[in-house]
Amino acid sequence: MNAGIIGQAAGLFAVTNIDDIVILALFFAQGSGHLRIVLGQYIGFAGILVVAVAAAFGATFLPPSAVPYLGLLPLALGLKAAWQAWRDRADGGDDDPPARGGGPKALEVAAVTFANGGDNIGVYVPVFATSGTSGMTVYVIVFLILVAVWCLAGRFFATRPLIARALSRWGHILLPLVLIGLGVVILVEGGAFGL
């Protein structure tokens, strides 16, 4: 393996996935479903890689005009989380955030990861197409290793005392806001619904 291509792959992953650390930290702060979060992150990122690799070989699964509508996934999950937080708050009536039973489901994490990766696909396809099969293999291996590093970083940030206190107190509000904002940004930047 060429050290240069490994460094390029690591840099490309970091640049295109920096926002995932914040989302992962919010997910990890939601509960004890850490394995589900990691599994969901891998499922979502594997979906991104499958689409990018296939597109690099000339296959297309979605027309480019449909990609912005992936923003509906985090938007719907954010609205669901906001509704749950509001309902739990109305039922409890106290100042402590409600405990969420075990954190997000793996498919929820996967959906957010995949929807947030629409721009990643656009970046990965030309890189994969020009790097050849062996280069593409290196990129995919490095990316899959770095998904674990990203999960560890998200978990690390979620467990730092200052950050953990803030996420514990405000995470039930921040997660829906981040997901709704992410969905709106994907829809608007992609020009969905003529926005």
Side-chain angles (χ1 to χ4, degrees), residues 41-68:
Q41 186 71 9
Y42 267 102
I43 291 169
F45 201 79
I48 291 168
L49 289 176
V50 165
V51 171
V53 167
F57 285 120
T60 56
F61 295 107
L62 291 174
S65 61
V67 172

Side-chain angles (χ1 to χ4, degrees), residues 1 13 41 52 57-58 62 76 81 84 89 100 109 134 142 161 184:
M1 278 195 208
F13 182 89
Q41 186 71 9
F57 285 120
L62 291 174
Q84 184 67 42
R89 185 74 155 186
R100 223 185 128 193
V109 176
S134 62
V142 170
V184 168

Side-chain angles (χ1 to χ4, degrees), residues 23 44-45 47-52 61-79 107-122 178-193 195:
I23 295 169
F45 201 79
I48 291 168
L49 289 176
V50 165
V51 171
F61 295 107
L62 291 174
S65 61
V67 172
Y69 294 97
L70 290 174
L72 293 172
L73 291 170
L75 180 62
L77 290 171
L79 290 172
L107 290 179
E108 291 174 342
V109 176
V112 170
T113 302
F114 187 78
N116 192 29
D119 58 337
N120 295 27
I121 294 168
V178 168
L179 292 177
I180 291 168
L182 176 63
V184 168
V185 166
I186 292 170
L187 289 168
V188 170
E189 285 185 354
F193 304 114
L195 298 173

